[in-house]
Amino acid sequence: QVQLEEFGGGSVQAGGSLKITCVVSGDTDRDYYMGWFRQSPGKGREAVAAIDSDGTTVYTESVKGRCTISQDISKNILYLFCHSLKPEDTARYYCAADHAAGALEFARLSLLESGYNYWGQGTQVTVSS
């Protein structure tokens, strides 16, 4: 199994940018697909973006064109960079992972909360207007 820990959250003004990081430890020799989710009061936990072990990415509609998910597999690090941030991006952001199972399963599961078994503790992002 793996352990996940997020870094880099903070407060930014609307229109600004921020990069957050997820550090992966444990059984890093196995392949995983990974994702970012966010949760704000009254909205539940929703997907932001996901990336497969081969680099394939997927984004939720509200962040397309504004956010980029990337990974440095050699360093066991996952990133999310977003620009043109909006107040509605305010949330606690969570890193998640599960065992890679091919392109079909990634497409089916990567934007579903139930598609992940491993979760970090989250990092708070606040966007002020």
Side-chain angles (χ1 to χ4, degrees):
Q1 64 175 22
V2 291
Q3 295 79 48
L4 311 174
E5 187 173 10
E6 302 92 339
F7 300 93
S11 298
V12 298
Q13 293 184 331
S17 61
L18 192 69
K19 189 172 188 176
I20 56 177
T21 299
C22 174
V23 178
V24 184
S25 61
D27 189 8
T28 57
D29 288 336
R30 300 183 65 177
D31 292 336
Y32 300 88
Y33 64 87
M34 303 192 68
W36 287 99
F37 288 72
R38 62 189 181 186
Q39 186 168 17
S40 59
K43 294 185 65 177
R45 189 170 296 186
E46 64 176 352
V48 178
I51 185 166
D52 206 355
S53 58
D54 68 352
T56 301
T57 60
V58 62
Y59 298 88
T60 194
E61 186 67 27
S62 63
V63 306
K64 287 181 180 178
R66 299 191 298 117
C67 295
T68 301
I69 186 171
S70 61
Q71 61 187 346
D72 187 334
I73 295 178
S74 68
K75 296 182 179 180
N76 302 316
I77 298 176
L78 176 74
Y79 303 98
L80 181 70
F81 172 78
C82 297
H83 65 85
S84 303
L85 286 164
K86 305 174 181 179
E88 50 261 46
D89 293 318
T90 296
R92 190 168 184 87
Y93 284 70
Y94 295 87
C95 175
D98 212 332
H99 298 287
L104 184 62
E105 288 298 284
F106 176 76
R108 170 176 162 79
L109 299 174
S110 59
L111 295 183
L112 300 176
E113 184 178 359
S114 61
Y116 296 85
N117 283 315
Y118 305 106
W119 293 85
Q121 295 298 308
T123 186
Q124 180 68 34
V125 173
T126 301
V127 183
S128 301
S129 61

